[in-house]
Amino acid sequence: MMKHRDLILLTLPLSVLALVILSVGLLVAQFRAFEHAYLNDARETLSQRTRFIASVLAPDLDNGNLASVRRRIAYFSGLPLRVTVIDPRGEVCADSDAEAAKLPNHADRPEVLAEDKDENFVTRYSVTMKTWLLYYATRLSNGWTVRASLPSDVVSGAISHVRVTVLLALLAGAILALGLFLYLFLRVRPHFNALQNAAVAIARGRLETRIDVPSSGPLRELAKAIDVMSRQLRNRIDELRRERNEFDTLFNTLREPLLLIAHTGEVIHSNRAASQLLGKAVRQKGFRIERTACPELVAYVRGAFDEPSVTSRELPFETLTDASPRTLLAHAVRMERDGALCLLLLLTDLTDLRRLESIRSDFVANVSHEIKTPLTAILSTVETLTEMPLDKQGRDKCLDILARQARRLNDLVQDILSLAAIERRQGAPRDFIPVQLNTIAEDAIALCQDTADTAHVTIRRDPEPLPTLSIQGDPRLLEQAVVNLIVNAIRHSGTPEVTIGLSQTDSAIVLSVADKGNGIPPEHLPRLFERFYRVHQDRSRENGGTGLGLAIVKHIALLHGGSVSVKSAVGQGTIFTLTFPIKSEP
């Protein structure tokens, strides 16, 4: 089946051919009219000349002066017009191109016998002239007949010339139409098809499609223009793709949820952080802000569209997976997109910030409380020494109180400074060195031996001796962590024995401190590593604890890429475990 574009290309040569045929038809009609008019004109001219000659010859014929007649018609000898004079009996008396004596009787000639003037015109072959002639005869009143004739080729020559011209015009038109047809289908059509196929491929997104630019022809400039347009379009799309990728990268790397919301409440666009907060459904087409199940957020969005000015607002937000409600700071900016009002909504999660503020507030309150106790004791003792007369025993007792409370205050300050120093190092480069944990454990045992002897506690090793195991770390901090665990077990567990264990699994090195003391109730275990948290407040202070020892252990473990855990059963004892990955980063 011929394609539509081929029909269009075929229409042009067919139109040319139809125009040629129409023109030739008009020429043929005009030719026939010309032929008829030319013949009539030739006949009219022949008849006028014949009658004129007859009028000139009539006096001589009336007088019988044939010599004058012959002399007069001799003028036409050698001319296309032949003149013949015939007497009433049909005998030829004179002829311009033949000897009259040799001519037969012409009484039977059609033009001589004709009585109607239209029938006086006869075209027939002349034996004498050996050619076709057009005859016309007029009869005079005295019975004489004057006949004139013209060769038919004189009349038909012009008609034949016109006929040949018409045929040549028809042939030229047919050749032109055929040439145009062949040119369009052999030269233009392949380039046109290639250009159309390339344009369709480009329209379908295959921008790398090559445009075939012909070396010449009517499609060359068009193909060049489309080729330039294709390259510019490809460059522009590449640029837009780069800009879109950069925008998507920037948009999705934002840690804060960002949403573009239409006036209808539909979420037009959202980043990865928004899907983490609101669920993956937020990135589906047609998701509406009402589906977040947060009335405060929905009310804020609606107000941002309707209110004259948009202000930031803190909103409570809670999902099924959250253990406690979150606090979000919503900030909206109105903008136009495709002529429609939209809202760019930025949600900042303030939950961790508020929690840190709460921790900071609690920390300040706990530090103030912990410092207030020894300071109050020191101030009271100083007032007693300055205002009351005391004997040596009373003064010694006051001095002992001052010394203990000062040591307690110093230990608290040192633990706070140590904890702050560890937290500062967590975000800084770690200058760790290879450390043997068995050596760290032995040094910690040596530092705690006097305290253990005073409390009548035995320190054991499991196994004996401890295996040589190394990690990358800070030896001073690791020693502090082990000392804190041993001292904690000696002072607060009521155990007769503390066991230090050191072992290695497939993926980690494990150091444990176990006691056989009173154990810890399970409700205290989740908060055991919080700052200033104590299972027994009064007994801990009496034993000299600051409430920061286990918090320091936790942060030291985290600094080394490890973790600390606790297992305890009331009446059976407690096990604290430090776990360090074997391939920890320095």
Side-chain angles (χ1 to χ4, degrees), residues 348-472:
T348 304
D349 193 348
L350 301 179
T351 305
D352 292 338
L353 180 62
R354 295 292 180 260
R355 184 176 59 82
L356 291 175
E357 291 176 352
S358 177
I359 291 174
R360 185 184 301 110
S361 178
D362 293 342
F363 180 76
V364 172
N366 289 328
V367 168
S368 300
H369 180 72
E370 293 294 332
I371 292 177
K372 183 179 179 181
T373 301
L375 283 178
T376 301
I378 291 172
L379 290 174
S380 299
T381 304
V382 170
E383 289 177 359
T384 301
L385 287 172
T386 57
E387 295 178 1
M388 295 180 61
L390 298 174
D391 55 11
K392 184 178 182 306
Q393 183 179 0
R395 292 180 64 84
D396 291 341
K397 185 177 180 180
C398 288
L399 292 175
D400 180 62
I401 293 174
L402 288 175
R404 283 190 293 106
Q405 296 301 326
R407 283 195 299 270
R408 180 181 174 186
L409 188 60
N410 182 67
D411 291 341
L412 179 62
V413 172
Q414 292 300 323
D415 282 349
I416 292 173
L417 294 175
S418 178
L419 186 59
I422 295 170
E423 288 181 339
R424 282 196 304 271
R425 291 189 61 180
Q426 286 181 348
R430 301 170 185 177
D431 50 346
F432 289 164
I433 60 174
V435 177
Q436 293 184 349
L437 286 180
N438 56 313
T439 302
I440 295 296
E442 291 294 345
D443 293 342
I445 292 172
L447 290 174
C448 298
Q449 191 62 57
D450 290 342
T451 304
D453 292 341
T454 302
H456 306 291
V457 175
T458 302
I459 300 178
R460 294 180 57 254
R461 299 164 181 81
D462 182 24
E464 179 79 33
L466 295 174
T468 302
L469 298 174
S470 299
I471 65 169
Q472 293 286 330

Side-chain angles (χ1 to χ4, degrees), residues 23-42:
S23 301
V24 170
L26 293 175
L27 286 175
V28 169
Q30 292 296 322
F31 167 73
R32 290 183 177 178
F34 165 78
E35 182 180 16
H36 180 72
Y38 189 83
L39 287 174
N40 290 337
D41 184 67

Side-chain angles (χ1 to χ4, degrees), residues 296 300 311-316 327-330 348 350 353-354:
E296 293 81 1
Y300 176 76
T311 58
S312 301
R313 186 183 305 168
E314 289 191 17
L315 306 171
T327 301
L328 301 179
L329 177 63
T348 304
L350 301 179
L353 180 62
R354 295 292 180 260

Side-chain angles (χ1 to χ4, degrees), residues 57-259:
L57 297 177
D60 290 335
L61 291 175
D62 289 339
N63 297 326
N65 189 1
L66 295 179
S68 177
V69 171
R70 292 188 183 97
R71 193 170 51 252
R72 289 180 184 276
I73 66 173
Y75 170 78
F76 297 99
S77 178
L79 296 179
L81 182 67
R82 176 190 175 190
V83 180
T84 304
V85 178
I86 305 169
D87 65 10
R89 297 187 305 272
E91 297 294 334
V92 177
C93 297
D95 191 282
S96 62
D97 291 319
E99 292 183 15
K102 296 180 179 181
L103 296 177
N105 189 284
H106 280 41
D108 60 345
R109 297 296 192 265
E111 63 275 11
V112 175
L113 295 175
E115 295 181 358
D116 188 280
K117 64 177 182 178
D118 291 333
E119 294 180 358
N120 291 354
F121 292 99
V122 176
T123 301
R124 59 183 177 80
Y125 184 78
S126 173
V127 177
T128 304
M129 303 303 297
K130 295 181 175 54
T131 185
W132 286 86
L133 298 176
L134 174 64
Y135 293 95
Y136 178 79
T138 179
R139 184 174 296 177
L140 300 178
S141 59
N142 54 14
W144 287 79
T145 301
V146 178
R147 186 188 70 176
S149 65
L150 285 172
S152 61
D153 55 355
V154 174
V155 177
S156 61
I159 298 175
S160 299
H161 179 72
V162 173
R163 183 181 294 111
V164 171
T165 302
V166 171
L167 291 176
L168 290 177
L170 178 60
L171 181 61
I175 293 174
L176 176 62
L178 179 61
L180 182 60
F181 173 81
L182 294 177
Y183 177 77
L184 290 176
F185 273 80
L186 297 181
R187 293 294 301 274
V188 176
R189 180 174 176 269
H191 294 302
F192 185 83
N193 289 342
L195 189 61
Q196 183 185 33
N197 294 333
V200 171
I202 291 172
R204 291 178 178 175
R206 298 196 297 272
L207 300 179
E208 70 283 354
T209 303
R210 180 177 174 272
I211 303 296
D212 183 17
V213 179
S215 59
S216 61
L219 295 180
R220 173 175 171 79
E221 295 303 323
L222 177 61
K224 288 175 61 178
I226 294 180
D227 186 47
V228 172
M229 181 186 68
S230 174
R231 290 198 301 268
Q232 292 178 348
L233 180 62
R234 183 165 55 249
N235 294 336
R236 181 56 180 163
I237 289 179
D238 290 341
E239 182 181 353
L240 291 176
R241 186 180 290 112
R242 286 194 300 270
E243 292 178 356
R244 184 194 63 186
N245 293 337
E246 292 173 358
F247 171 77
D248 288 343
T249 301
L250 178 63
F251 194 71
N252 287 308
T253 51
L254 288 176
R255 298 181 62 183
E256 290 81 9
L258 190 63
L259 302 97

Side-chain angles (χ1 to χ4, degrees), residues 485-533:
L485 292 177
I486 295 175
V487 171
N488 184 73
I490 294 173
R491 289 179 177 176
H492 307 298
S493 67
T495 179
E497 181 180 281
V498 175
T499 302
I500 310 301
L502 185 61
S503 61
Q504 180 176 341
T505 63
D506 293 338
S507 58
I509 295 176
V510 179
L511 189 151
S512 62
V513 177
D515 64 64
K516 298 180 179 179
N518 301 321
I520 303 171
E523 64 270 17
H524 296 287
L525 295 179
R527 302 187 59 190
L528 203 60
F529 295 99
E530 292 181 8
R531 300 169 186 180
F532 299 110
Y533 186 80

